Amino acid sequence: MVHRFTLTTPLYYVNDKPHIGSVYTTLAADAIARWHRLQGDQVCLITGCDEHGLKIQRSAIAAGVPTRDYVDRMAGHFAALWQRIGISHDRFVRTSTPQHQRLVHGFYERVRNNGHIRLGQQRGWYCVACEEFKDGDAGDSETPRCAIHDRPLEWRDEENLFFCLSHFQESIARLVARESFIGPASRRREVQRFVEAGLRDFSISRVDLPWGIPVPHQPGHTFYVWFDALLGYITALPGSDGPQDLTTALASGWPAQLHLIGKDILRFHAVYWPAMLLAAELPLPEQVFGHGFLTREGRKMGKTLGNTLDPEALFAKVGVEPVRWYLLRDIQFGEDGDIQQKRFLDLVNNDLANTIGNLVNRTVSMSRRWFADAVPPQGGQDAPPHPLAATAAAATAQVGQCFAQQDLQGAAMATLALAETINGYLSEQAPWRAIKDSSRKEAVGAVLYGVLEATRLVGVCLQPLVPEFSNRLLAQLGCAPLDSRHGLSPGAWEQLVGWGGLPHRQPLPEASPLLTRLELDGDL
Ligand code: MSP
């Protein structure tokens, strides 16, 4: 049976070009999507842009450009960057399209007909950067500031439409108590506490905000950006020419199995969004996973601090694979992570260039020299199982368990540990000494076969994490590249990771470095 796996990145605000935070979520989602495709799942990786709201309208005004042109240009930056770094998304959705507007209207009608919309007066302090009301006392003489952005909040007192979140108190409390719904486990408690404090209705319309989707039957009101944005996940789903209505979308990949997001927007995804879906009687996503925040050399990144890391410049300087490896391997997915230049260089050079790159290089050179430029024979018919076979099987199984739990670092470390074991085995066997005794040539062949075969499995396991590097490794063994963008058929993975997949006598191309050591003058 084919499993469907729909996963999403957040839909990124287009007030600015992509930043390293958006790159991080997207790379992680890409790795998970590639993993599932290799398992034969029918994957739909959704990404895109969230294009409404006051923040974006103001950015366009500040840039002196009509909002439509501004969002088109910014969305273009996202699409171009994902293409440039090989993100394997299946859908790229934009929330300022007519198609999305139709879907939002259809959804809103359903929720309203079900009795979960009311009019009310919205009084409160608003953070435009968060696009969210914050708790604060209206009687304060001083203007309160946003704790995240350290910017003054803005006072609002207007008639808005409200979504009756309070109607869903019990069902949401049950949902967030479910172990599988919020990942990582450490974040579940914080959402539970928020729900236990009592869910309050929230306003879903704005007055005087022309850059938004008009609310039907409510002249002068546009939808609150989060109400419209979350629905982008459904608009994104494949339909004939995109879903014309909710029904088409639902037939083609809803509910999502996984929403990958940063921890700052967990509440929207784990509380507001499921309540909205319940209100429309639509199925709920299976899991919301909130990853941590990235800092740089121990400091929060920001324009005012002047320490942002421009993704385009970064990729141009060091290439895509090193960035993927570093971020996915060094940061425990779910926890905060600190980007450190020295560690970046050390890990990329040690892991990819030395531990894995040199292993491949040495083994291919030896095999070519002593076995006519090809893969040596496995050993006699009744030879015992190769000592590396069991280790490799355990490593590939471990990689699978890690991916099943979004443990990308665990998957990287299990793969790296396999490469280290192979290196240890190679030093211990020292085929370069054994080959001097011609009676031991068959034994040397068996040693090298095992090393090449286990190394092939390293390459296979690396595929979702660093796809190009993985394919370079496989090419060095004479193997065909893996296509984790389009995927494998169900059951093919099990075959791929079975011991003995590397054919005896397969020609080995001349060894060349898989990755040249990175040196940097200046900063990342
Ligand atoms: N538009 C909303 C999402 C709507 S989803 C229907 C949004 N966009 S965003 O562009 O501001 O943020 C996108 C993602 O980037 C969020 O998941 C956020 O957590 C993440 N990051 C922003 N800064 C980050 C770091 N410094 N580190 C890691 N991720 C961070 O929110």
Side-chain angles (χ1 to χ4, degrees):
M1 196 184 97
V2 177
H3 291 278
R4 232 178 14 79
F5 197 87
T6 298
L7 78 163
T8 67
T9 73
L11 305 182
Y12 302 111
Y13 283 131
V14 290
N15 58 308
D16 208 342
K17 294 210 279 188
H19 52 69
I20 196 72
S22 20
V23 166
Y24 180 53
T25 328
T26 309
L27 288 180
D30 181 70
I32 295 172
R34 285 175 188 270
W35 166 261
H36 281 274
R37 292 196 198 99
L38 293 170
Q39 305 312 302
D41 295 347
Q42 192 188 325
V43 171
C44 183
L45 170 57
I46 293 171
T47 189
C49 292
D50 178 356
E51 306 190 352
H52 288 128
L54 189 55
K55 170 157 72 172
I56 290 163
Q57 184 181 288
R58 284 189 184 164
S59 302
I61 292 171
V65 180
T67 314
R68 165 50 61 198
D69 297 355
Y70 186 80
V71 301
D72 285 349
R73 193 169 80 203
M74 289 300 159
H77 284 297
F78 279 90
L81 182 62
W82 302 156
Q83 160 132 33
R84 144 108 180 67
I85 66 171
I87 298 300
S88 64
H89 52 283
D90 301 281
R91 315 292 294 181
F92 185 95
V93 64
R94 297 186 54 191
T95 59
S96 68
T97 57
Q99 179 190 332
H100 180 64
Q101 171 158 332
R102 267 199 304 276
L103 188 123
V104 171
H105 283 171
F107 180 88
Y108 171 71
E109 290 300 346
R110 258 171 105 128
V111 174
R112 197 170 70 117
N113 292 339
N114 286 343
H116 302 300
I117 303 287
R118 66 171 174 84
L119 260 177
Q121 195 68 20
Q122 171 71 57
R123 286 189 197 90
W125 292 103
Y126 193 70
C127 172
V128 179
C130 293
E131 293 281 15
E132 190 179 7
F133 278 100
K134 303 278 164 175
D135 290 330
D137 185 358
D140 283 355
S141 53
E142 261 182 68
T143 307
R145 301 176 79 83
C146 169
I148 299 171
H149 295 96
D150 192 29
R151 286 211 275 182
L153 301 177
E154 296 179 21
W155 180 248
R156 295 277 187 284
D157 185 355
E158 57 187 42
E159 185 175 62
N160 285 170
L161 287 160
F162 280 72
F163 170 69
C164 302
L165 183 62
S166 56
H167 291 180
F168 301 93
Q169 178 71 44
E170 265 127 57
S171 15
I172 295 296
R174 270 197 307 277
L175 177 71
V176 300
R178 231 191 260 166
E179 225 166 79
S180 57
F181 184 62
I182 297 174
S186 53
R187 301 218 186 283
R188 189 165 12 110
R189 270 310 297 156
E190 114 201 10
V191 178
Q192 276 181 302
R193 270 196 298 275
F194 173 75
V195 176
E196 280 157 16
L199 294 179
R200 283 182 291 170
D201 300 348
F202 65 92
S203 78
I204 58 158
S205 75
R206 297 287 182 269
V207 291
D208 299 330
L209 175 62
W211 185 246
I213 296 181
V215 179
H217 324 294
Q218 206 69 37
H221 287 238
T222 51
F223 281 108
Y224 167 44
V225 59
W226 270 101
F227 187 82
D228 118 43
L230 288 158
L231 283 160
Y233 294 141
I234 298 185
T235 307
L237 289 165
S240 43
D241 126 74
Q244 296 301 306
D245 58 28
L246 283 168
T247 327
T248 331
L250 291 176
S252 62
W254 192 258
Q257 274 57 51
L258 178 64
H259 289 309
L260 270 192
I261 51 162
K263 62 181 181 180
D264 55 329
I265 54 175
L266 187 55
R267 194 182 291 177
F268 288 102
H269 284 81
V271 177
Y272 297 6
W273 177 225
M276 286 165 59
L277 289 164
L278 286 173
E281 297 172 284
L282 295 176
L284 304 186
E286 283 173 24
Q287 196 189 29
V288 177
F289 189 97
H291 66 69
F293 258 53
L294 301 178
T295 48
R296 184 172 182 191
E297 311 290 349
R299 294 167 74 205
K300 193 175 162 180
M301 278 178 275
K303 282 200 176 147
T304 36
L305 284 167
N307 66 343
T308 52
L309 200 48
D310 171 24
E312 281 168 42
L314 176 68
F315 289 119
K317 233 177 263 177
V318 299
V320 176
E321 305 293 283
V323 177
R324 284 183 77 111
W325 179 253
Y326 173 69
L327 291 177
L328 303 179
R329 176 257 200 251
D330 201 34
I331 299 166
Q332 191 186 336
F333 197 53
E335 301 304 313
D336 291 340
D338 189 37
I339 299 180
Q340 296 171 1
Q341 172 145 342
K342 179 165 183 321
R343 195 160 162 81
F344 175 89
L345 291 177
D346 286 351
L347 292 188
V348 169
N349 288 335
N350 290 342
D351 301 346
L352 298 184
N354 294 350
T355 306
I356 301 174
N358 285 347
L359 167 66
V360 175
N361 216 269
R362 288 200 294 165
T363 321
V364 167
S365 303
M366 289 187 279
S367 306
R368 279 174 54 91
R369 197 171 326 131
W370 305 325
F371 294 91
D373 297 338
V375 174
Q378 280 205 45
Q381 281 268 300
D382 35 44
H386 195 280
L388 287 174
T391 322
T396 52
Q398 169 99 36
V399 167
Q401 281 159 19
C402 290
F403 270 107
Q405 303 164 41
Q406 272 69 258
D407 180 5
L408 303 175
Q409 183 185 45
M413 296 311 280
T415 310
L416 190 61
L418 174 59
E420 279 160 359
T421 307
I422 307 173
N423 270 317
Y425 170 80
L426 196 57
S427 315
E428 198 183 281
Q429 296 293 318
W432 48 90
R433 273 203 294 275
I435 196 69
K436 290 182 184 149
D437 174 352
S438 59
S439 69
R440 291 175 67 191
K441 184 157 181 196
E442 192 181 312
V444 168
V447 165
L448 287 181
Y449 180 86
V451 171
L452 288 169
E453 172 61 350
T455 307
R456 178 183 71 87
L457 296 173
V458 168
V460 169
C461 291
L462 285 175
Q463 174 64 208
L465 299 167
V466 275
E468 274 179 32
F469 182 83
S470 146
N471 281 339
R472 280 206 294 279
L473 191 165
L474 293 172
Q476 189 66 84
L477 303 178
C479 299
L482 283 173
D483 186 354
S484 52
R485 176 180 286 274
H486 300 100
L488 302 179
S489 45
W493 173 261
E494 286 69 21
Q495 247 187 333
L496 192 65
V497 298
W499 186 263
L502 188 66
H504 167 212
R505 292 210 185 85
Q506 174 157 283
L508 292 170
E510 204 172 315
S512 70
L514 289 185
L515 189 107
T516 27
R517 285 181 65 84
L518 282 180
E519 316 263 346
L520 271 188
D521 39 323
D523 284 343
L524 272 181

